[in-house]
Amino acid sequence: MALILGIESSCDDTSAAVLSNRTMLSNVTANQQVHQKYGGVVPELASRAHQQNIIPVIHEALSMAGVTKNDLNAVAFTRGPGLLGSLLVGASFAKAFALALDIPLIEVDHMMAHILAHFIQLPDEKKALPRFPFLCLTVSGGHTQIVLVNDYFDMTIVGQTIDDAAGETFDKAAKIMGLPYPGGPMIDKLAQQGDPNLFEFPEPQVAGFNYSFSGLKTSFLYFLRDQLKHDPDFIQKNKYHLSASLQAVIIRILLKKLKQASDHFKINEIAIAGGVSANSALRNAIEESKQKWGWNTYMPQFQFTTDNAAMIAITGYFKYINKNFTNQKTTPYARGGF
Ligand code: KG4
Ligand code: ZN
């Protein structure tokens, strides 16, 4: 049995988790409220908040798991991609911890971890696991990717956004509407009371399985600017319909390329991952595609959609059994990855 501590600090969540093999014993996250009033993550403030949060969060994760640091077999941390100052806090802590405890240090790619989150097991949980090869639509604040997953560590990005990410589009549209950051969950909530067909926004034409969202963001902005000239209360009066219509087009765009990739690779094992995979309308659309297209679909539990350390720990576990360790010389990376 291997006890793995996972540490995630790539953006604005400080998170620590303990897994016993694939079984999650704890998953503790401190969200940083400090960014809300700025309408986005302020990197310098994020690093400082990680500094404050990291020791209490790890302490809590160990105690909730009912283990002590001396029971750990390895420490896994997010090496990248993400904000460098934020990553440094988790990486430095993990290095020091592994050195002090004389246990292996494991570096994890954040985007790979979002996908491998599907393999986390909760105690007494019975669920089907994705079967290789599967396609994963990874949709977060910084990324939108279709990944062909042949094995745990054999993944290829077959399509990705050429500009904004899907989560970023939710967040920017929310900001235009005067909603707080992060806007995705808010739009999701408002959309439930709106008409998704009331307003029409254009779908981009992009080659292959790639995505583009910047045109949609701009047309949303211009549409509102024009409407506000006639009616200064337009957003307030239409916030439900605007949210529903925008969300609907984002999901149509996401699903269209995912379906094309599924047809092309002849793969009907389909997973979604990342912060936007918490979106209720996206989850409904994926659920419907089971019937419509004969897909076997895999959606992460809500706690594993947005950034969390359990996904770092599960990736760490698979690396641990392969003895894929790193050393004290490792440094974080802001971009790129697996
Ligand atoms: O994976 P994540 O926690 O962080 C990154 O690695 O980026 O994703 C955060 C993103 C944000 O853009 C947030 O607005 C979006 O996920 N998000 C949602 C929902 N919950 C989170 N977007 C749409 N609907 C949601 N329910
Ligand atoms: Zn993420």
Side-chain angles (χ1 to χ4, degrees):
M1 190 199 70
L3 271 183
I4 313 285
L5 171 70
I7 300 172
E8 155 63 30
S9 73
S10 66
C11 191
D12 59 340
D13 295 308
T14 321
S15 185
V18 178
L19 258 63
S20 167
N21 293 354
R22 288 200 301 110
T23 304
M24 192 183 89
L25 303 183
S26 65
N27 185 33
V28 177
T29 302
N31 305 110
Q32 302 180 359
Q33 305 302 333
V34 62
H35 308 288
Q36 261 186 14
K37 60 174 179 275
Y38 299 99
V41 177
V42 184
E44 176 63 21
L45 297 180
S47 322
R48 285 190 220 173
H50 282 305
Q51 290 269 24
Q52 284 168 356
N53 293 340
I54 195 152
I55 291 178
V57 162
I58 288 171
H59 190 77
E60 177 82 6
L62 291 172
S63 103
M64 275 184 65
V67 302
T68 72
K69 60 183 188 297
N70 297 314
D71 300 324
L72 296 172
N73 296 98
V75 181
F77 70 98
T78 308
R79 184 176 169 207
L83 301 170
L84 219 49
S86 292
L87 290 163
L88 272 168
V89 178
S92 308
F93 187 95
K95 282 188 196 181
F97 217 45
L99 192 65
L101 296 170
D102 195 22
I103 53 176
L105 178 66
I106 299 171
E107 61 189 38
V108 170
D109 181 273
H110 181 89
M111 299 313 294
M112 186 178 257
H114 267 301
I115 297 172
L116 295 180
H118 283 282
F119 296 93
I120 300 166
Q121 189 75 43
L122 296 179
D124 304 323
E125 179 195 35
K126 296 238 178 312
K127 68 167 183 185
L129 301 177
R131 282 168 303 186
F132 300 117
F134 66 91
L135 289 172
C136 186
L137 173 69
T138 313
V139 267
S140 71
H143 295 82
T144 301
Q145 304 174 332
I146 297 177
V147 182
L148 171 59
V149 187
N150 284 312
D151 206 342
Y152 297 108
F153 299 112
D154 178 2
M155 302 187 183
T156 311
I157 299 168
V158 296
Q160 59 189 323
T161 182
I162 56 170
D163 42 55
D164 293 350
E168 196 177 355
T169 311
F170 273 106
D171 296 339
K172 286 182 175 169
K175 195 171 179 179
I176 295 168
M177 288 168 65
L179 301 172
Y181 176 86
M186 200 71 170
I187 291 194
D188 188 350
K189 207 163 148 219
L190 294 172
Q192 286 169 18
Q193 297 180 59
D195 177 355
N197 300 313
L198 195 63
F199 302 116
E200 267 187 40
F201 300 107
E203 289 184 35
Q205 303 296 325
V206 196
F209 309 122
N210 288 334
Y211 290 108
S212 166
F213 288 101
S214 70
L216 172 61
K217 174 194 65 191
T218 310
S219 73
F220 188 72
L221 177 69
Y222 288 174
F223 173 73
L224 287 184
R225 198 184 57 185
D226 291 346
Q227 297 300 321
L228 287 170
K229 280 186 201 149
H230 308 296
D231 179 2
D233 293 331
F234 182 80
I235 294 178
Q236 187 51 31
K237 284 183 198 154
N238 290 284
K239 62 183 179 193
Y240 301 114
H241 303 316
L242 284 167
S243 298
S245 300
L246 179 86
Q247 179 176 271
V249 68
I250 293 175
I251 290 164
R252 264 201 310 278
I253 295 168
L254 290 173
L255 266 285
K256 190 171 159 189
K257 291 298 174 91
L258 188 56
K259 172 74 166 81
Q260 285 174 7
S262 156
D263 291 345
H264 176 86
F265 292 103
K266 300 191 173 37
I267 292 177
N268 66 356
E269 292 281 302
I270 308 288
I272 56 172
V276 181
S277 69
N279 184 269
S280 53
L282 175 61
R283 293 174 86 95
N284 288 342
I286 293 285
E287 188 64 35
E288 280 169 17
S289 64
K290 277 187 187 169
Q291 285 285 332
K292 210 160 58 179
W293 298 325
W295 287 359
N296 298 320
T297 62
Y298 305 90
M299 294 189 256
Q301 268 204 3
F302 283 107
Q303 62 169 325
F304 304 134
T305 56
T306 46
D307 292 347
N308 66 88
M311 70 185 196
I312 306 303
I314 188 81
T315 310
Y317 167 69
F318 292 129
K319 286 198 164 188
Y320 180 84
I321 50 183
N322 286 328
K323 294 198 168 42
N324 188 349
F325 306 140
T326 186
N327 59 50
Q328 294 287 325
K329 292 197 182 111
T330 182
T331 50
Y333 53 87
R335 287 170 190 284
F338 68 87

